Amino acid sequence: MAVQDSKKKIINRLRTLKGHISGIEKMIEDGKECEEILIQIAAIKSSIHKIGTIIVEEHALECLLKEETDEPMDKEKVKKVIKTLINYAK
């Protein structure tokens, strides 16, 4: 996936997320049932996770596959990508 396509996909997901958050605000103002609100919150959590996954994937691909030489991959760069993945997974 091209970087521009990824950016567009992420931006669209973030805009959708904003709409969901506004919807939850309205649900709370309207006194909707807790169960309905929690279902929407779970959907938002899932959406945030998906956005993070897309960003982590792009970061890893960009850092690890952008090598233009036949040189061995820089050990520090690999460590940095692994640290990013671990921090995201927490």
Side-chain angles (χ1 to χ4, degrees):
M1 182 180 309
V3 173
Q4 198 60 32
D5 290 340
S6 289
K7 283 184 182 180
K8 187 174 182 178
K9 190 175 184 179
I10 291 166
I11 297 288
N12 288 338
R13 285 181 179 270
L14 289 170
R15 288 181 180 147
T16 300
L17 194 57
K18 280 193 237 181
H20 286 299
I21 291 170
S22 295
I24 290 174
E25 286 180 55
K26 181 154 178 34
M27 290 173 78
I28 292 170
E29 289 171 352
D30 293 346
K32 296 289 182 180
E33 295 291 324
C34 291
E35 184 179 352
E36 292 178 63
I37 294 168
L38 290 172
I39 288 169
Q40 290 304 309
I41 290 172
I44 287 172
K45 286 171 56 176
S46 176
S47 185
I48 290 268
H49 181 74
K50 182 63 178 174
I51 291 166
T53 301
I54 292 168
I55 291 170
V56 166
E57 180 181 2
E58 287 297 317
H59 172 69
L61 289 172
E62 182 178 312
C63 288
L64 298 176
L65 299 179
K66 202 171 186 178
E67 300 295 320
E68 296 179 8
T69 65
D70 290 332
E71 303 277 323
M73 202 167 300
D74 180 81
K75 186 175 181 178
E76 291 307 312
K77 185 183 280 189
V78 173
K79 283 182 179 180
K80 184 178 176 186
V81 170
I82 290 170
K83 184 176 179 182
T84 299
L85 293 170
I86 290 169
N87 285 336
Y88 176 70
K90 287 182 181 178

